[in-house]
Structure formats: C-alpha cells, structure tokens
Amino acid sequence: MYKFLLVAAVLLPTLVLGQTPTLPCPNGAPLPREVDLNGCTTAPCNIPAGAPIVAHAKGIVSQIATATLTPHISIRLLGLEIPFPIPESLVDACAVGTAPGTCPVSVGQEFDYILDYEGDPVPVSGVTVQIEVGLAADNGEDVTCVAFEVYISN
C-alpha cells in the first residue's frame, strides 16, 4: 500500500499537469516550478535526431541578483560530456527567451524562460542521453538548472 502511495505521489503531479519529468542538475541549482520539453510527459523523452529542442521553464525563482542571464546546454552519454555550443543568437537570455523587462533579475524574482534551439542537431542518435539546460548569472553561478533523460531517435 505504501509503495503505491509513493509511486502515486511521484507520478501524479507529472500526469495531472502534463509536465516533463526532470532531474536536478549535479551542481544543485534550483529547479523551475514547471518544465515542458518538446511536449514530453514520460521519461525518457523521445526527440528525433535533428529536431529542435524547445524547453519552457515556468516559475524560476532567482536566489541571486544578476544583470544578465546566459543559457548553457550539456549532454552526457555514459558519463562523458559532449560539447554543445549555444548559438550566438541565443547567448543573451534576457533578450531572447525571457519576457521583456526580466533583466536585471533581483533576489526572489520569479520569471519564465523559453529555450527554442534549432541549431546543430545532437551529435548522437539511437541512444539515451541526459540533457542539462541552465541559466547562468553574470558571476557564472546558475540561477536555475534542470536535467532530462532523452532518447535521441533515428
């Protein structure tokens, strides 16, 4: 009975709200309140090779003040990190991805962020990887970070 309650407590919020299952990042940065990655509601998320990555994070609460926000993406496969550069057009998250007037960000401020990445495809396919998406402050510290288990299909 307790196992059922535990499973229900873990799965019910995702099923009811249609959120993407997320994992905390290894650095312990705060998670957004709600996340949608390409409409995925079960882990691992299935993303076709070469498809755009669209991540919408709602309810990010900054624990630090910052004048800028810079996104970063990391891909991990079997413990190895695969480089994944952010295109120049997306480097300034204050200009692209957050609502106008979000920056500068103050402590305790809540905001949303949309990463609409249509750049180079993930350089692997037919495997499950962990994709980590975060926003860094001007001092390099993460304001938020979230990880996803993703199956990159052929």
Side-chain angles (χ1 to χ4, degrees):
M1 174 71 172
Y2 290 112
K3 288 181 186 177
F4 172 77
L5 292 175
L6 179 60
V7 169
V10 170
L11 294 178
L12 190 58
T14 299
L15 296 173
V16 171
L17 299 174
Q19 296 179 28
T20 300
T22 60
L23 302 165
C25 291
N27 64 7
L31 289 166
R33 180 183 68 246
E34 185 178 324
V35 177
D36 176 27
L37 174 71
N38 289 37
C40 170
T41 58
T42 59
C45 295
N46 184 15
I47 298 179
I53 296 174
V54 180
H56 187 182
K58 296 180 182 178
I60 299 166
V61 178
S62 183
Q63 296 182 3
I64 56 176
T66 182
T68 64
L69 291 169
T70 305
H72 60 85
I73 300 176
S74 297
I75 298 175
R76 289 190 182 79
L77 173 64
L78 302 173
L80 300 174
E81 190 163 324
I82 300 169
F84 203 75
I86 296 288
E88 191 64 36
S89 61
L90 300 177
V91 169
D92 183 359
C94 294
V96 180
T98 60
T102 297
C103 296
V105 177
S106 58
V107 174
Q109 180 177 339
E110 184 173 314
F111 64 96
D112 299 342
Y113 173 68
I114 297 175
L115 173 69
D116 190 351
Y117 182 86
E118 295 188 35
D120 294 330
V122 176
V124 295
S125 65
V127 296
T128 299
V129 298
Q130 186 177 75
I131 296 179
E132 181 179 300
V133 179
L135 287 174
D138 47 21
N139 67 359
E141 187 178 344
D142 271 348
V143 171
T144 190
C145 187
V146 63
F148 313 92
E149 293 295 324
V150 176
Y151 177 73
I152 308 296
S153 58
N154 297 322

